[in-house]
């Protein structure tokens, strides 16, 4: 059986077209699956994990919070890992991520997430417990009571005032019989006796003369 040449040519053309189609599909799906932008938003920070990008081109990433730059436009290659702290806030914030791939807009991303308000953790207030002050018993030392057998002679003798010693400057005390004035008094007494005896003798002599 002979197959015409035209049939061989048609079959070859169809096979070539199928190979080109499959190759194009693989090339198209490959880069799309390769670009992996992953990011997470909490109440305190934004975490970026951009991987599997084309390192031969300039890729850019920008992060804004309520329209204000949190991460100004930054150029990266194959990937980028970064953690950015959020400002303090009392209401939810809108965080926007913009990634521009250098090898085509089909690989770029523009997404937004909400940053919630952090819940304040309140520490439980301890319940005041009634604490009674500890009373330390004081033990007084009893004073010993003197017994009848105790003789306070030693304490009395030790506390008795000493005899006063006359000061040299104090006036002379009255002289006793043994002082230096004793001879004078004795002489005066003899003179008085002699004078009295002379008077008695003269009186008797006059009486005798009158008789």
């Amino acid at each position: 059986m002979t197959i015409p040449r035209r049939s061989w040519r048609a079959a070859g053309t169809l096979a070539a077209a199928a190979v080109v189609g499959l190759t194009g599909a693989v090339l198209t799906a490959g880069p799309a699956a390769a670009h992996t932008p992953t990011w997470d938003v909490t109440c305190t920070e934004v975490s970026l994990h951009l991987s599997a990008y084309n390192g031969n081109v300039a890729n850019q990433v920008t992060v804004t919070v309520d329209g204000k730059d949190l991460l100004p436009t930054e150029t990266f290659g194959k990937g980028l890992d970064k953690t950015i702290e959020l400002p303090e806030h009392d209401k939810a914030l809108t965080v926007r991520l913009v990634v521009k791939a250098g090898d085509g807009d089909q690989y770029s991303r523009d997404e937004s997430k909400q940053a919630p308000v952090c819940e304040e953790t309140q520490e439980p207030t301890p319940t005041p417990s009634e604490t009674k002050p500890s009373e330390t018993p004081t033990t007084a030392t009893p004073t010993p009571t003197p017994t009848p057998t105790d003789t306070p002679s030693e304490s009395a003798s030790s506390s008795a005032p000493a005899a006063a010693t006359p000061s040299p400057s104090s006036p002379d005390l009255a002289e006793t019989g043994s002082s230096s004035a004793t001879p004078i008094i004795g002489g005066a007494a003899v003179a008085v006796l002699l004078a009295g005896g002379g008077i008695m003798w003269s009186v008797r002599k006059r009486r005798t003369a009158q008789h």
Side-chain angles (χ1 to χ4, degrees):
M1 181 178 181
T2 303
I3 300 175
R5 293 182 177 178
R6 291 181 179 179
S7 299
W8 284 105
R9 290 179 181 178
T13 302
L14 291 175
V19 170
V20 171
L22 290 174
T23 304
V26 171
L27 294 176
T28 303
H35 298 74
T36 309
T38 304
W39 66 304
D40 187 28
V41 177
T42 65
C43 67
T44 58
E45 61 186 16
V46 178
S47 301
L48 300 178
H49 181 67
L50 311 178
S51 61
Y53 279 80
N54 188 353
N56 297 324
V57 296
N59 306 301
Q60 294 181 341
V61 59
T62 305
V63 180
T64 59
V65 176
D66 288 345
K68 298 179 182 179
D69 286 343
L70 181 64
L71 174 66
T73 302
E74 184 173 333
T75 303
F76 66 97
K78 292 183 178 181
L80 175 68
D81 288 305
K82 187 180 287 291
T83 300
I84 312 167
E85 292 185 0
L86 289 170
E88 294 183 0
H89 52 281
D90 54 1
K91 62 179 181 179
L93 302 176
T94 301
V95 183
R96 182 183 178 187
L97 171 69
V98 177
V99 180
K100 292 184 178 181
D103 52 355
D105 292 339
Q106 67 272 22
Y107 308 127
S108 299
R109 300 289 293 271
D110 189 347
E111 299 178 355
S112 297
K113 292 184 180 182
Q114 294 290 321
V117 179
C118 296
E119 296 181 358
E120 296 181 358
T121 56
Q122 297 180 354
E123 297 181 357
T125 304
T127 304
S129 58
E130 296 181 359
T131 57
K132 296 182 180 180
S134 57
E135 297 180 357
T136 305
T138 57
T139 56
T141 304
T143 304
T145 305
T147 57
T149 57
D150 296 337
T151 55
S153 59
E154 295 181 359
S155 60
S157 61
S158 61
S159 61
T165 304
S167 173
S169 60
S170 59
D172 296 337
L173 299 176
E175 296 183 356
T176 58
S178 59
S179 63
S180 60
T182 304
I184 298 173
I185 297 174
V190 172
V192 170
L193 292 174
L194 293 176
I199 294 171
M200 292 296 294
W201 180 78
S202 59
V203 171
R204 288 178 179 180
K205 188 176 182 181
R206 288 180 181 178
R207 289 180 180 178
T208 306
Q210 290 177 359
H211 290 292

